Amino acid sequence: MGKSAALVEMLVMLILFQSLSFSCIGANSNGSCIKYEREALLKFKAGMLSNSNSLESWVGDDCCVWEGVSCHNITGHVIKLDLSFQFLRGKVSPYLGNVSNLQYLHLGGNELTTDNLHFVSSLSSLKYLNMKDVSFVDKYENWLRSANMLPSLVKLYLSYCGLYNSGHVSHLNLTSLEVLNLRFNNFYSTFPSWFSNISNIQYLDLTGNYFRGSLPNEIGNLNSLAFLYLSANSLEGKLPKTFGKLCNLRELAMESNNFSGEFFGLFGNSRSCIQNSLEYLDLFNNSFSGILPNDLGQFKSLEVLNLCKNAFWGPIPVSIGQLSNLALLDLSYNTFRGPIPVSVGQLYNLTTLDVRNNSLDGIVSELHFSKLRRLMSLRMSRNSIVFDIGPNWVPPFQLVAIWLSSCKLGPQFPQWLKTQQYIKTLMMSDVSISDSVPDWFGNISSYFKVLDLSHNQIFGALPKLRKLNEVVLDISNNLLQGQIPEMIGRRMPLLEFLLICNNHLNGTIPVSLCRMESLSLLDLSKNQLSGGLPNCWRNLQALKLIDLSNNMLSGHVPISLGSIKQLQSLHLKNNRLQGKIPMSFKNLKDLKFLDLSMNAFAGLFPPGIGESLSSLTVLSVHSNKLEGEIPLQLCCLSSLRILNLANNMMGGTIPTCFGNFTAMVVYEKAIGYWGHGATTYTESENGGIYDDKLLGGGKLPTGHEQAGTTRKDNIEMPWFYSGLGMGFLTGYVGVCSILYFKKSWRFEVA
């Protein structure tokens, strides 16, 4: 009984002591909030702009009930401040250092600035610090020295802070640090040696920091490292042999660097190291080389394997079919050769298969897809692959993206496509199809955004598509006949790229095209279209390229064609257009390429074109009926590289200012010879323009000599002049597949 009484007395005394201690600590506090900590928080609030409503609850004496503030249940000290993504704007008060018992501080995801991190030196209990997106006024401040004063720190996030250096300290004290995220700063340095001293680090993200040089051997000392992200830097050279010691590594992203040499050779034939742990491997856009090892199947945990845009070669090993956890396989843009192993068909978790742009050949059969029930993206373009699949085959998958351009699928349309109900991208250019578009094709088009059937021998009428959300339609370079349906504008109001060039289409250009207000590229060239141009171009303000050349279009060019403010390239060559060149063309301020040649345009050349179109690079109006003198305003076209006025009825002399066209690189029949037929001009090394027929007495720019060769009159518009076309289309729909599976952001916030 005596012992029990003594124990009770001891407990009472302990409680009394704690109460007195708390009373002393918080003697100046009201409620459960300590006064000097409340004052520090209010000074932080005062540094925020007045239009911020996220701190409305920060009123009254008890700061422990304020939004984002958490206090210790017994001592009352503020131990957690989480104001992440609260739309705060302003400057971080250094008085936060007075909240000295903080264990968790998260200010990330706001529009905040700070002079430096010196205030955190007082927060010796801090375990979590997140300053993501906080802009440092002093870009060169030694943030590492401040962080080094936090021996308990476990997680540190300083991404997108604009820091310029990695800090220099004589002794590193971050022995507890497990997570370090410094992505997208501006360090511009070699790989810092102090990284190898953070012995307990498990997660290290240095993405986008302009680190250069090679990785040090000491990186192999980070044997706890599980997540390593080095993407988007300027690192180079071979990986150190010690890299093979990272036996706990689960995710490795090294994309967009200059690494070279072998990768898989670092790990030898070990069965107990990285082969067992690695789940995510992204080497996209480097210069790694070598062949894939025969024992690749030993990487049993791999879920993502991205080797896109490297220099790997040799065959794809059969053992790849043993990677049963693989969800993404991207081997594109390498020099792999030989057939695709049938074992790929065993990867039942695979959602993306990408082997584009290699030297693969051989047969692809139904066995290659036998267990791919989850496959959503199939990309095999730019190989010499032949599909040998029966007409009654029913695939086990439902695809969203299909890239098979330049494979051999024909001569008939693949019948298995009619089972696919969710296709968004269908790329089947140059696949040897000699067939009409089947009736069932419209049934699978409901989700189309990109359709490319170009460079085949598809005949018959244009495919009947439902009302779509399509962005790209390319059925150029086929044998299609008939008219462009009037309904096309109503069915595809969101279309951005329409390419039906080089077919056998006839009839007029439907006015419904003007409903496509998102249209950026329109190419109807090399058909047999007739009639006049529609007069509704004001509706198409997104257009950057129009190519209606090589048709049988007639009549006057409508004034509204000059109202398309963003137009960069206009091709009306080789039609039957007549009348005057519209003065409204002077409004096309962004125009770089204008080809009106081989028509029946008459009258004077509009002087406004020379005065207004300073960005014009190519101007061709040859083989028309233009009259009068060459306007001196053409001398204002300082960017001009090609000028062709041949085969008109223009007179007078060549303006001497033409000798100042320093950008000129090609002069093909550059200026017509008035009164005596066509005149050929030649190019000299120092940029002059010369008339072979006028050399005996005609007026020429002074200070130049005749060149030795004559160029033929054949000005065509390469796609690269416009900056649009299929090169742009390829970029539009993506290069590699890795973004589907990017996981490196998951530690960005707690």
Side-chain angles (χ1 to χ4, degrees), residues 560-574:
S560 63
L561 195 57
S563 67
I564 309 173
K565 304 262 187 233
Q566 299 187 59
L567 194 63
Q568 298 179 18
S569 194
L570 176 60
H571 308 257
L572 301 177
K573 175 183 176 180
N574 195 19

Side-chain angles (χ1 to χ4, degrees), residues 327-330 332 344 347 349-356 368-369 372-381 397-404 416 420 422-427 733-738 740-741:
L328 180 144
L329 175 60
D330 191 343
S332 61
V344 168
L347 302 176
N349 283 310
L350 201 65
T351 61
T352 296
L353 173 59
D354 194 342
V355 295
R356 289 172 295 159
H368 286 81
F369 308 108
L372 305 187
R373 295 180 180 85
R374 299 184 180 181
L375 194 67
M376 298 173 62
S377 179
L378 175 62
R379 306 182 181 195
M380 295 184 170
S381 300
F397 47 67
Q398 284 290 328
L399 296 176
V400 175
I402 302 174
W403 298 57
L404 299 176
W416 59 268
Q420 305 300 296
Y422 305 106
I423 302 174
K424 290 185 178 179
T425 300
L426 179 58
M427 305 283 281
V733 291
V735 175
C736 295
S737 316
I738 198 65
Y740 262 140
F741 296 89

Side-chain angles (χ1 to χ4, degrees), residues 173-236:
N173 196 34
L174 297 175
T175 54
S176 301
L177 198 64
E178 297 178 0
V179 174
L180 177 58
N181 191 328
L182 298 175
R183 63 186 295 116
F184 291 105
N185 283 285
N186 302 297
F187 292 143
Y188 289 101
S189 69
T190 56
F191 200 86
S193 58
W194 57 262
F195 278 114
S196 59
N197 296 326
I198 313 177
S199 56
N200 290 315
I201 194 74
Q202 299 177 21
Y203 178 98
L204 179 58
D205 192 345
L206 305 178
T207 300
N209 277 298
Y210 304 99
F211 285 119
R212 61 182 184 274
S214 57
L215 292 179
N217 289 325
E218 289 78 11
I219 196 168
N221 298 335
L222 305 180
N223 50 25
S224 297
L225 199 59
F227 304 90
L228 177 59
Y229 305 104
L230 302 174
S231 301
N233 283 289
S234 298
L235 297 167
E236 60 186 6

Side-chain angles (χ1 to χ4, degrees), residues 395-415:
F397 47 67
Q398 284 290 328
L399 296 176
V400 175
I402 302 174
W403 298 57
L404 299 176
S405 296
S406 79
C407 297
K408 191 177 188 317
L409 304 182
Q412 280 76 43
F413 260 86
Q415 292 294 306

Side-chain angles (χ1 to χ4, degrees), residues 393-538:
W393 179 60
V394 178
F397 47 67
Q398 284 290 328
L399 296 176
V400 175
I402 302 174
W403 298 57
L404 299 176
S405 296
S406 79
C407 297
K408 191 177 188 317
L409 304 182
Q412 280 76 43
F413 260 86
Q415 292 294 306
W416 59 268
L417 279 179
K418 65 182 178 183
T419 68
Q420 305 300 296
Q421 301 298 318
Y422 305 106
I423 302 174
K424 290 185 178 179
T425 300
L426 179 58
M427 305 283 281
M428 295 201 314
S429 172
D430 188 24
V431 294
S432 303
I433 291 179
S434 300
D435 194 4
S436 60
V437 180
D439 292 337
W440 51 260
F441 195 78
N443 297 331
I444 69 170
S445 64
S446 300
Y447 294 94
F448 277 2
K449 289 190 176 296
V450 176
L451 173 60
D452 183 2
L453 300 176
S454 63
H455 294 275
N456 285 289
Q457 294 182 324
I458 301 172
F459 52 83
L462 286 170
K464 296 179 181 179
L465 303 176
R466 297 178 176 177
K467 187 170 183 179
L468 306 174
N469 295 321
E470 195 153 6
V471 175
V472 177
L473 175 60
D474 186 356
I475 43 180
S476 60
N477 295 281
N478 279 287
L479 304 174
L480 293 167
Q481 298 176 323
Q483 299 185 4
I484 301 174
E486 179 63 35
M487 293 291 293
I488 189 169
R490 298 185 181 93
R491 289 174 177 167
M492 292 180 283
L494 301 179
L495 199 67
E496 295 181 19
F497 296 83
L498 177 59
L499 300 95
I500 322 180
C501 57
N502 202 12
N503 279 281
H504 302 304
L505 299 175
N506 55 36
T508 60
I509 299 175
V511 177
S512 64
L513 282 180
C514 295
R515 291 175 174 262
M516 299 179 178
E517 296 183 1
S518 300
L519 201 61
S520 178
L521 187 153
L522 173 63
D523 190 349
L524 307 179
S525 63
K526 297 182 181 177
N527 281 287
Q528 293 147 26
L529 299 173
S530 59
L533 300 179
N535 189 17
C536 53
W537 299 98
R538 287 186 177 86

